[in-house]
Structure formats: structure tokens, C-alpha cells
Amino acid sequence: MKFKFCPICGDKLVEKYSWDEGGVPYCESDDIMFFDTPKPCVIVAVIKDNKILLLKQDYIFKNSKVLVSGYVTTGECVEETVKREVLEETGITVGEIKYLGSEYLDKREILMLTFMAKYESGEIKKSDEVDWANWGNIEDALCEMKEDEIGKRIVRKVLKEIGYEGTKAYRCDIKE
Ligand SMILES: [Zn+2]
């Protein structure tokens, strides 16, 4: 988001030259530059043997299962966000968090940081924000996540990471 007014004092921002960044919105009263701020968000595939943790969240996709996701909050590093979101949404504790790359959602200005993590402990106990949560067979995940394109890209990466060599998991992939 491009700032027009100072989020601290409300003054109209002016443009200030900042080396390689060029013109940056600047508050003269607070002496702060407001650089563009995409919203960082994590999305994580939780793996337990050959199972993957899937959710239904009707406000995201009506007819598709999704992976656990959530916004990074101030003061938190992203690995902490991964642990916190999985625990809050499903009651599961995870470890061995591995970064799988990032994606940018232009329309919503979201920077998606993608991960896989291993199940450590806990029983599934979903939050109110989640309509359904359960372990699914990883070979069925791509079929069950029809609408979640980013989620599916993560599952394909996970299949590589775990050394999956079959073809069954990819049966619902449409050739691009
Ligand atoms: Zn200000």
C-alpha cells in the first residue's frame, strides 16, 4: 500500500528522495519515511507420515480444502507465525519448519511465505475460524484443493521434498 497520509499524526505526506528507492512518502512532522508495505502472510503444509493437514474455511473457498495460513503479526518472526497459526487453528504443534519460497498476491498486496512443517504433537481441535480440519491422504490433496492454486503449488513442492515418485497424487492436475 502506498501511504498518502501519515499513519501516526495524519499529516499529508510529501515525497522525499531516498537514494536507490527514489521518491518515498515522508512525514515532515514525525521525520519518518513510509515505504510500501505488502502484508506478510504464511501458508503451511503440515505433514504427518503420508498425511497432510487440511482445512475447510468457507470464507476463503466454498468448495475447496486449504492449508493453514495466517498473517504475520508485529514482533514475530515468520517461523513463530507458522507455529502459532497451526496451533491456533488446529491445536497441533509442529517442528522442522522448512521454507519453500514466496508468492505475491497482487490484488490483496499479500506476500505469501510458504512452508512445510512436521507434526510433533497434539490432537486436532479446530478454532471457530475454521469450519473443518482433519488429516487427509497426501495423494488426494491436489484433488481436494481444487480452488486453492497457491496451496496446490505448495503440495507439489512437498511431494518432491518427501521423494514421492508415484503419479496418483497428480491425477487431478490440469496440464497448464
Ligand atoms: Zn506524521
Side-chain angles (χ1 to χ4, degrees), residues 164-176:
Y164 177 81
E165 285 180 337
T167 52
K168 193 185 168 203
Y170 301 104
R171 69 194 180 281
C172 291
D173 262 356
I174 299 157
K175 286 267 185 304
E176 283 166 68

Side-chain angles (χ1 to χ4, degrees), residues 6 8-9 27 29-30:
C6 175
I8 299 164
C9 71
C27 176
S29 314
D30 289 304

Side-chain angles (χ1 to χ4, degrees), residues 61-112:
F61 292 119
K62 266 259 170 279
N63 301 304
S64 184
K65 289 176 185 169
V66 297
L67 301 177
V68 174
S69 63
Y71 290 104
V72 179
T73 59
T74 305
E76 190 175 60
C77 65
V78 291
E79 288 80 5
E80 289 168 339
T81 314
V82 168
K83 285 194 170 199
R84 177 180 56 75
E85 285 292 341
V86 177
L87 187 64
E88 279 176 9
E89 293 189 356
T90 69
I92 297 293
T93 300
V94 295
E96 291 183 49
I97 295 163
K98 184 167 185 183
Y99 178 60
L100 297 177
S102 64
E103 307 247 355
Y104 189 73
L105 292 181
D106 217 5
K107 274 186 206 144
R108 292 164 62 202
E109 296 186 351
I110 288 174
L111 178 64
M112 278 278 197

Side-chain angles (χ1 to χ4, degrees), residues 5-11 13 26-32 34:
F5 296 92
C6 175
I8 299 164
C9 71
D11 278 3
L13 301 175
Y26 171 72
C27 176
E28 290 172 320
S29 314
D30 289 304
D31 187 25
I32 296 175
F34 292 96

